[in-house]
Short mmCIF file of all heavy atoms in Angstrom, two decimals:
data_model
loop_
_atom_site.label_atom_id
_atom_site.label_comp_id
_atom_site.label_asym_id
_atom_site.label_seq_id
_atom_site.Cartn_x
_atom_site.Cartn_y
_atom_site.Cartn_z
N GLU A 75 -33.46 53.66 -42.30
CA GLU A 75 -32.58 52.89 -43.24
C GLU A 75 -31.95 51.72 -42.52
O GLU A 75 -31.55 51.83 -41.36
CB GLU A 75 -31.49 53.81 -43.79
CG GLU A 75 -31.97 54.84 -44.81
CD GLU A 75 -30.81 55.64 -45.37
OE1 GLU A 75 -29.76 55.70 -44.70
OE2 GLU A 75 -30.92 56.19 -46.46
N GLU A 76 -31.86 50.57 -43.26
CA GLU A 76 -31.16 49.44 -42.70
C GLU A 76 -29.68 49.49 -43.00
O GLU A 76 -28.85 49.07 -42.17
CB GLU A 76 -31.75 48.13 -43.29
CG GLU A 76 -33.17 47.84 -42.84
CD GLU A 76 -33.66 46.51 -43.31
OE1 GLU A 76 -32.81 45.75 -43.89
OE2 GLU A 76 -34.86 46.19 -43.12
N THR A 77 -29.35 50.00 -44.16
CA THR A 77 -27.93 50.18 -44.53
C THR A 77 -27.74 51.57 -45.09
O THR A 77 -28.61 52.11 -45.79
CB THR A 77 -27.51 49.13 -45.59
OG1 THR A 77 -28.35 49.24 -46.73
CG2 THR A 77 -27.58 47.74 -45.05
N PRO A 78 -26.63 52.21 -44.76
CA PRO A 78 -26.39 53.60 -45.23
C PRO A 78 -26.08 53.64 -46.74
O PRO A 78 -25.64 52.64 -47.30
CB PRO A 78 -25.20 54.04 -44.41
CG PRO A 78 -24.47 52.77 -44.10
CD PRO A 78 -25.54 51.73 -43.89
N ALA A 79 -26.31 54.80 -47.34
CA ALA A 79 -25.97 55.00 -48.75
C ALA A 79 -24.51 55.32 -48.88
O ALA A 79 -23.93 55.95 -47.98
CB ALA A 79 -26.83 56.12 -49.33
N PRO A 80 -23.85 54.92 -49.96
CA PRO A 80 -22.44 55.21 -50.12
C PRO A 80 -22.18 56.72 -50.30
O PRO A 80 -23.00 57.41 -50.93
CB PRO A 80 -22.06 54.44 -51.39
CG PRO A 80 -23.34 54.27 -52.13
CD PRO A 80 -24.40 54.13 -51.10
N ASP A 81 -21.11 57.19 -49.75
CA ASP A 81 -20.71 58.59 -49.94
C ASP A 81 -19.90 58.65 -51.23
O ASP A 81 -18.72 58.21 -51.26
CB ASP A 81 -19.85 59.05 -48.74
CG ASP A 81 -19.58 60.54 -48.79
OD1 ASP A 81 -19.77 61.14 -49.85
OD2 ASP A 81 -19.17 61.10 -47.77
N LEU A 82 -20.47 59.16 -52.27
CA LEU A 82 -19.92 59.06 -53.60
C LEU A 82 -18.77 60.01 -53.89
O LEU A 82 -18.26 60.03 -54.97
CB LEU A 82 -21.01 59.23 -54.66
CG LEU A 82 -22.12 58.16 -54.59
CD1 LEU A 82 -23.21 58.42 -55.66
CD2 LEU A 82 -21.54 56.77 -54.78
N LYS A 83 -18.37 60.79 -52.92
CA LYS A 83 -17.15 61.62 -53.12
C LYS A 83 -15.91 60.81 -52.93
O LYS A 83 -14.82 61.25 -53.28
CB LYS A 83 -17.19 62.84 -52.14
CG LYS A 83 -17.03 62.45 -50.71
CD LYS A 83 -17.17 63.68 -49.79
CE LYS A 83 -15.83 64.35 -49.61
NZ LYS A 83 -15.89 65.44 -48.59
N TRP A 84 -16.05 59.60 -52.39
CA TRP A 84 -14.91 58.71 -52.15
C TRP A 84 -14.95 57.53 -53.10
O TRP A 84 -16.00 57.10 -53.55
CB TRP A 84 -14.90 58.21 -50.71
CG TRP A 84 -14.92 59.31 -49.70
CD1 TRP A 84 -15.95 59.66 -48.91
CD2 TRP A 84 -13.83 60.21 -49.37
NE1 TRP A 84 -15.61 60.74 -48.08
CE2 TRP A 84 -14.29 61.08 -48.38
CE3 TRP A 84 -12.53 60.34 -49.84
CZ2 TRP A 84 -13.52 62.08 -47.82
CZ3 TRP A 84 -11.75 61.35 -49.31
CH2 TRP A 84 -12.24 62.18 -48.30
N PHE A 85 -13.76 56.96 -53.29
CA PHE A 85 -13.70 55.67 -53.99
C PHE A 85 -14.34 54.60 -53.12
O PHE A 85 -14.12 54.57 -51.92
CB PHE A 85 -12.26 55.28 -54.31
CG PHE A 85 -11.64 56.06 -55.42
CD1 PHE A 85 -10.91 57.22 -55.19
CD2 PHE A 85 -11.79 55.61 -56.75
CE1 PHE A 85 -10.35 57.95 -56.25
CE2 PHE A 85 -11.23 56.32 -57.83
CZ PHE A 85 -10.51 57.53 -57.54
N GLN A 86 -15.14 53.77 -53.71
CA GLN A 86 -15.87 52.75 -52.98
C GLN A 86 -15.17 51.41 -53.07
O GLN A 86 -14.57 51.07 -54.12
CB GLN A 86 -17.30 52.62 -53.52
CG GLN A 86 -18.15 53.84 -53.24
CD GLN A 86 -18.39 54.05 -51.75
OE1 GLN A 86 -18.68 53.14 -51.02
NE2 GLN A 86 -18.19 55.32 -51.31
N PRO A 87 -15.21 50.59 -52.04
CA PRO A 87 -14.57 49.27 -52.04
C PRO A 87 -15.47 48.24 -52.67
O PRO A 87 -16.55 48.54 -53.17
CB PRO A 87 -14.37 49.00 -50.56
CG PRO A 87 -15.61 49.62 -49.94
CD PRO A 87 -15.86 50.87 -50.73
N ARG A 88 -15.00 47.01 -52.65
CA ARG A 88 -15.86 45.89 -53.04
C ARG A 88 -17.02 45.76 -52.07
O ARG A 88 -16.93 46.17 -50.91
CB ARG A 88 -15.07 44.57 -53.03
CG ARG A 88 -13.94 44.52 -53.99
CD ARG A 88 -13.29 43.17 -53.96
NE ARG A 88 -14.19 42.14 -54.49
CZ ARG A 88 -13.79 40.90 -54.89
NH1 ARG A 88 -12.52 40.58 -54.74
NH2 ARG A 88 -14.64 40.03 -55.35
N PRO A 89 -18.14 45.17 -52.52
CA PRO A 89 -19.19 44.87 -51.54
C PRO A 89 -18.67 43.89 -50.52
O PRO A 89 -17.90 42.99 -50.84
CB PRO A 89 -20.31 44.24 -52.38
CG PRO A 89 -19.97 44.60 -53.80
CD PRO A 89 -18.48 44.72 -53.86
N SER A 90 -19.03 44.10 -49.27
CA SER A 90 -18.70 43.05 -48.27
C SER A 90 -19.78 42.00 -48.35
O SER A 90 -20.81 42.22 -48.97
CB SER A 90 -18.68 43.69 -46.86
OG SER A 90 -18.05 42.80 -45.94
N ASN A 91 -19.55 40.83 -47.80
CA ASN A 91 -20.46 39.71 -48.05
C ASN A 91 -21.84 39.96 -47.44
O ASN A 91 -21.98 40.54 -46.40
CB ASN A 91 -19.89 38.39 -47.54
CG ASN A 91 -19.45 38.46 -46.12
OD1 ASN A 91 -19.86 39.33 -45.35
ND2 ASN A 91 -18.59 37.55 -45.72
N GLY A 92 -22.87 39.51 -48.14
CA GLY A 92 -24.23 39.72 -47.70
C GLY A 92 -25.11 40.06 -48.89
O GLY A 92 -24.65 40.68 -49.89
N LEU A 93 -26.36 39.63 -48.88
CA LEU A 93 -27.23 39.82 -49.98
C LEU A 93 -28.49 40.52 -49.57
O LEU A 93 -29.32 39.97 -48.83
CB LEU A 93 -27.59 38.47 -50.64
CG LEU A 93 -26.41 37.62 -51.11
CD1 LEU A 93 -26.92 36.29 -51.63
CD2 LEU A 93 -25.67 38.36 -52.22
N GLY A 94 -28.68 41.71 -50.02
CA GLY A 94 -29.94 42.41 -49.84
C GLY A 94 -30.41 42.42 -48.38
O GLY A 94 -29.71 42.74 -47.47
N ALA A 95 -31.66 42.01 -48.22
CA ALA A 95 -32.28 42.02 -46.90
C ALA A 95 -31.63 41.00 -45.95
O ALA A 95 -31.77 41.12 -44.74
CB ALA A 95 -33.77 41.76 -46.99
N ASN A 96 -30.97 40.03 -46.52
CA ASN A 96 -30.32 38.98 -45.72
C ASN A 96 -28.83 39.29 -45.52
O ASN A 96 -28.00 38.45 -45.49
CB ASN A 96 -30.47 37.61 -46.40
CG ASN A 96 -31.92 37.19 -46.48
OD1 ASN A 96 -32.70 37.43 -45.56
ND2 ASN A 96 -32.29 36.57 -47.58
N THR A 97 -28.56 40.55 -45.40
CA THR A 97 -27.16 41.04 -45.30
C THR A 97 -26.46 40.34 -44.11
O THR A 97 -26.97 40.30 -43.02
CB THR A 97 -27.11 42.54 -45.09
OG1 THR A 97 -27.63 43.14 -46.29
CG2 THR A 97 -25.71 43.02 -44.88
N VAL A 98 -25.28 39.85 -44.38
CA VAL A 98 -24.44 39.24 -43.38
C VAL A 98 -23.43 40.26 -42.80
O VAL A 98 -23.27 40.41 -41.63
CB VAL A 98 -23.67 38.04 -43.93
CG1 VAL A 98 -22.73 37.47 -42.91
CG2 VAL A 98 -24.68 36.97 -44.41
N ASN A 99 -22.80 40.99 -43.69
CA ASN A 99 -21.72 41.88 -43.26
C ASN A 99 -21.57 43.02 -44.27
O ASN A 99 -20.96 42.81 -45.31
CB ASN A 99 -20.42 41.09 -43.12
CG ASN A 99 -19.29 41.95 -42.56
OD1 ASN A 99 -19.51 43.04 -42.08
ND2 ASN A 99 -18.07 41.47 -42.70
N THR A 100 -22.10 44.17 -43.97
CA THR A 100 -21.94 45.29 -44.90
C THR A 100 -20.92 46.30 -44.42
O THR A 100 -20.65 47.26 -45.09
CB THR A 100 -23.32 46.01 -45.10
OG1 THR A 100 -23.73 46.51 -43.81
CG2 THR A 100 -24.37 45.07 -45.65
#
Side-chain angles (χ1 to χ4, degrees):
E75 288 183 337
E76 291 186 7
T77 56
D81 188 345
L82 297 179
K83 67 185 272 188
W84 303 109
F85 284 93
Q86 293 295 314
R88 297 184 67 165
S90 194
N91 53 20
L93 303 176
N96 296 322
T97 295
V98 176
N99 183 15
T100 60

